[in-house]
Amino acid sequence: MSGQSLLVPGELSPTRSVPGNIRRPEYVGKPAPTPYNGPEVQTPETVELMRTAGRIAARAMEEAAKAIAPGVTTDELDRIAHAYMCDHGAYPSTLGYRGFPKSLCSSVNEVICHGIPDSTVLKDGDIINLDVTAYIGGVHGDNNATYLVGDVDEESRLLVERTRESLNRAIKAVRPGRQINIIGRVIESYAKRFGYGVVRDFTGHGINSSFHSGLIVPHYDSPHATTVIQPGMTFTIEPMLTLGTYEYDMWDDGWTVVTKDRKRTAQFEHTLVVTDTGAEILTLP
């Protein structure tokens, strides 16, 4: 891997405004969301609303990704996604979630997840994950992907490709009647072929009217993940693979999570609904 300098915090721009006619999630303006106590299995009507939210999130991410290039700031990517969601009547779910100050997460190079968009300038050879969630119709749609910035070294490019493949394999493993740890088993067994670390402490999650319902979807083979998958369940799968350790440090901002050895990491995510025979992706553009 080329000798890239480690990331440091940049300057935050002012909080972006959301038109007053756009419905806010209940947690906006509060220190934490109200705990979810509803079902993990959703009605067809809720799933249809989640298709709309997921589509907007996916398209907002695509729009921001079009601007990824050396010299572009992560704050500019946030501006683009924010504008797209607001223009389509959606609230950016991360904005104000437990105090998060921006409308997407931008995680560069050694950042595992939850990077805050700021004045950081993308450089040739970087990789960047965009994590975008949209709230509309009372429900959320959540997705992310890792992108290459300019001319990226082979080791990083393969990490990105294989992380995407680990998500695809995990989605294909979803079946009613299986325990949810099948997801982590498939991801971990694939990642081990290449000596990658599989992040454990940040997971997929149940999602519906709640951003994080309480259902946990580990990306490694956890013996505790015994929840039985049922038709109508909605959750995310979002593997985070690393070139080294899965252990991490957190910046003083309380959000930005970096690999302890500062080696690179990639992530991909979709929101899914379980069908009678498998899983449908709800975050397709």
Side-chain angles (χ1 to χ4, degrees), residues 89-110:
Y91 186 92
S93 300
T94 60
L95 184 61
Y97 178 77
R98 296 183 181 272
F100 192 85
K102 292 296 176 181
S103 298
L104 58 71
C105 299
S106 57
S107 301
V108 179
N109 295 341
E110 70 269 19

Side-chain angles (χ1 to χ4, degrees), residues 142-143 167 171 235-237 268-272 281 283-284:
D142 185 4
N143 69 160
L167 172 60
I171 292 171
F235 53 81
T236 72
I237 303 176
F268 284 83
E269 173 187 22
H270 276 305
T271 295
L272 312 172
I281 298 172
T283 38
L284 291 176

